[in-house]
Amino acid sequence: MSYSHHTMGSGSRTARRTFEFGRTYVVRPKGKHQATIVWLHGLGDNGSSWSQLLEGLPLPNIKWICPTAPTRPVAILGGFACTAWFDVGELSDNSPDDWEGLDASAAHVANLLSTEPADVKVGIGGFSMGAAMALYSATCCALGRYGNGIPYSVNLRAVVGLSGWLPGSRNLRNKIEGSNEAARRAACLPIMLSHGTCDEVVPFQYGEKSANSLSVAGFRHLTFKSFEGLGHYTVPKEMDEVCNWLAARLGLEGSRA
């Protein structure tokens, strides 16, 4: 599926980049369908590997949607092309954010959730760059708009980010505090972050910083879990925490609480 990003404003600007998203993998719920979660892979990965892991989780009431990011040149890899939700250079507070790429992927994810039944709760989760994308989507949900100003219409009920970071953290607090409605939405959205203390790809400090930035901006239902000795990967104990958190936050039936 392709997504053409148009710039809002004068009306004279046209699409600069078209993003071709890869294959989407779906894991159907084994029980009553109560929730749908889009799960986003990390840099260079695809939706297939995560769909296999998620299928084995004891969450029979969740439908998992695992899309594959577009293949694009990535600055942090010296311009090497691989699957990536957005372009990223070095991980630092001063590096520019790829707003166009972020908005295109956030819109693709929102589109995947837009056709779910009204009585089904929806959420987004991800690992590494996928976690960054999930957290960016959470900020769009709170603000009610993408970075380009286009309205964000999905009502997220849960967001999970493993071993990731928060894009656009610098001005988030001012944006949220500038709108009573945004502040209300931020205060109501449950977010779970998890990070390994020995992560050599996305250092633990970025997980801590992200949690702090979200908390300061008014995301009150925030859970941050650290895993001693864990590198840039996930382990069963961490996924157990994710399962328990989702079952509790989404009020799922027949799941291990």
Side-chain angles (χ1 to χ4, degrees), residues 3-90:
Y3 175 86
S4 295
H5 174 84
H6 294 266
T7 303
M8 300 290 286
S10 65
S12 63
R13 303 283 293 277
T14 56
R16 290 177 303 200
R17 288 192 282 171
T18 298
F19 301 93
E20 293 285 344
F21 289 84
R23 181 177 172 183
T24 296
Y25 300 81
V26 177
V27 178
R28 304 286 175 187
K30 298 178 180 69
K32 179 183 176 184
H33 184 195
Q34 293 182 286
T36 296
I37 295 178
V38 171
W39 191 274
L40 305 171
H41 63 75
L43 182 65
D45 202 356
N46 59 63
S48 175
S49 57
W50 275 99
S51 70
Q52 295 171 48
L53 185 151
L54 296 168
E55 189 170 17
L57 297 182
L59 293 170
N61 307 113
I62 292 182
K63 171 185 173 182
W64 300 96
I65 302 177
C66 303
T68 299
T71 297
R72 71 178 81 205
V74 180
I76 202 170
L77 300 178
F80 178 78
C82 69
T83 52
W85 300 110
F86 53 94
D87 191 18
V88 61
E90 63 179 26

Side-chain angles (χ1 to χ4, degrees), residues 21 85 101-111 124 133 136-137 140 146 152:
F21 289 84
W85 300 110
L102 284 161
D103 282 342
S105 289
H108 181 69
V109 172
N111 186 56
I124 303 174
M133 199 63 245
Y136 180 69
S137 296
C140 291
Y146 297 94
Y152 186 92

